[in-house]
């Protein structure tokens, strides 16, 4: 574990999710025509969504959002990254390249260009996947996620985020190769606005997290990743990536839209309809 991760352990236009129900990103699908939760999924404008979870969770984290996206006839692919969820890849083999390959495979399996969504650490993965498959990604969505410049790593960007209260709960293994959380992480920092049932679910799914991907820099270019339209969905009560840090990132790398949701770090659990409505508006 390098010095940056050790340190970790010790603007665009603001639009509400509700307001987006009647709007659409140019070239990225139609708007809702009946005022329901169908968003851009009406008529011929159905979309394929690839949902990429963040650290310490798995594809299961999207369970409340998936049916809302599928209701209008959209295709949804929610995958487990290597060594997450039900995936049994050895921790030592789980790095940014393996994550990216898994997402690229999901993109390749889709029947059309996808709306690629990354949460938290998943932001680094979707950036790298879009660099690999720019012609197959319709829109990149960063859901309270790390939106990094070429050559940056997650730990490098996160190290100075003073509002990231969750860092107080992070614990590294003796050899520095894995991370986990101390008691209280879910209710006090990861999802302080979660119901007791959702907190229990987060805690029951906690696995050791590979540390290597936190330190690996992303490599993206304006010619490939940079030509894919970007949207940022910020969480205004986030204690894992502070709102100030999120704003700093989407200001440095401007997005087509910035959508605000009044939630902690896991809006897919606490505000699934708002997340789905935002995605369906693209």
């Amino acid at each position: 574990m390098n010095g940056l991760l050790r340190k970790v352990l010790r603007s665009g236009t603001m639009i509400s999710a509700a307001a987006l129900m009647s709007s659409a990103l140019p070239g990225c699908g139609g708007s809702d025509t009946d005022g329901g939760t169908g968003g851009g999924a009406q008529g011929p404008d159905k979309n394929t969504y690839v949902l990429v979870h963040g650290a310490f969770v798995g594809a299961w984290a999207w369970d409340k959002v998936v049916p809302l996206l599928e209701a209008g006839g959209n295709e949804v692919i929610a995958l487990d990254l290597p060594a997450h969820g039900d995936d049994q890849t050895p921790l030592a083999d789980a790095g940014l390249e393996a994550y990216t390959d898994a997402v690229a495979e999901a993109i390749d399996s889709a029947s059309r260009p996808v709306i690629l969504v990354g949460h938290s650490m998943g932001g680094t993965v979707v950036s790298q996947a879009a660099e690999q498959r720019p012609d197959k990604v319709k829109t990149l969505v960063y859901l309270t996620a790390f939106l990094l410049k070429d050559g940056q790593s997650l730990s490098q960007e996160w190290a100075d985020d003073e509002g990231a209260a969750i860092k107080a709960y992070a614990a590294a293994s003796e050899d520095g190769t894995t991370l986990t959380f101390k008691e209280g992480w879910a209710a006090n920092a990861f999802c302080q606005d979660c119901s007791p049932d959702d907190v229990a679910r987060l805690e029951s799914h906690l696995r050791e997290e590979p540390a290597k991907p936190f330190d690996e820099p992303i490599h993206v270019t304006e010619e490939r990743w940079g030509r894919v339209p970007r949207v940022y969905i910020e969480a205004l009560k986030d204690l894992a990536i502070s709102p100030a840090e999120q704003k700093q990132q989407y200001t440095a790398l401007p997005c087509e839209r910035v959508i605000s949701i009044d939630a902690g770090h896991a809006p897919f659990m606490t505000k699934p309809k708002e997340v789905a409505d935002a995605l369906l508006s693209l």
Side-chain angles (χ1 to χ4, degrees):
M1 178 174 60
N2 71 17
L4 282 169
L5 189 52
R6 289 193 183 94
K7 185 178 179 183
V8 167
L9 295 178
R10 60 165 182 80
S11 146
T13 302
M14 309 305 292
I15 307 174
S16 70
L20 284 171
M21 287 301 294
S22 60
S23 63
L25 186 65
C28 290
S31 61
D32 188 3
T33 58
D34 63 1
T37 313
Q42 304 303 311
D45 295 326
K46 295 179 176 63
N47 288 309
T48 296
Y49 296 89
V50 175
L51 307 180
V52 181
H53 63 80
F56 300 102
V57 295
W60 60 266
W62 301 103
D63 284 356
K64 295 183 181 181
V65 174
V66 169
L68 299 176
L69 297 177
E70 291 179 334
N74 297 297
E75 178 185 19
V76 182
I77 302 170
L79 68 149
D80 282 321
L81 294 176
H84 291 78
D86 294 327
D87 184 88
Q88 297 303 310
T89 299
L91 289 165
D93 295 336
L96 186 55
E97 182 177 0
Y99 293 173
T100 304
D101 288 346
V103 174
E105 183 177 349
I107 293 171
D108 290 342
S109 74
S111 58
R112 72 203 91 183
V114 307
I115 294 176
L116 181 58
V117 185
H119 171 253
S120 195
M121 176 273 289
T124 65
V125 185
V126 299
S127 289
Q128 206 67 80
E131 176 71 14
Q132 285 193 10
R133 301 287 193 275
D135 295 327
K136 295 186 177 183
V137 179
K138 185 177 181 180
T139 307
L140 265 173
V141 183
Y142 295 84
L143 174 61
T144 185
F146 286 94
L147 172 56
L148 304 182
K149 297 178 181 178
D150 178 56
Q152 284 186 311
S153 68
L154 187 157
S155 60
Q156 179 182 11
E157 183 67 18
W158 200 36
D160 296 320
D161 183 4
E162 295 180 358
I166 200 168
K167 289 190 288 188
Y169 293 88
S173 60
E174 288 188 10
D175 62 3
T177 62
T178 65
L179 305 171
T180 189
F181 280 133
K182 302 172 187 175
E183 185 177 354
W185 66 281
N188 296 325
F190 192 92
C191 193
Q192 77 278 11
D193 51 341
C194 268
S195 68
D197 285 346
D198 284 336
V199 167
R201 192 174 189 212
L202 283 164
E203 291 175 342
S204 70
H205 281 89
L206 182 62
R207 293 178 56 178
E208 282 189 301
E209 180 77 15
K212 182 172 68 171
F214 284 65
D215 289 331
E216 293 180 297
I218 69 166
H219 296 291
V220 294
T221 63
E222 281 301 313
E223 295 74 21
R224 296 178 66 81
W225 165 83
R227 74 172 188 254
V228 181
R230 298 189 296 269
V231 173
Y232 199 97
I233 304 177
E234 64 176 350
L236 299 177
K237 296 177 179 176
D238 201 325
L239 297 178
I241 308 173
S242 71
E245 175 63 27
Q246 294 173 58
K247 185 174 182 179
Q248 178 179 315
Q249 292 180 34
Y250 66 66
T251 301
L253 292 170
C255 298
E256 298 270 352
R257 287 179 174 170
V258 175
I259 304 166
S260 300
I261 294 180
D262 190 26
H265 191 57
F268 43 79
M269 299 184 82
T270 60
K271 299 288 181 71
K273 186 176 185 300
E274 289 191 37
V275 172
D277 286 350
L279 296 177
L280 289 166
S281 73
L282 303 180

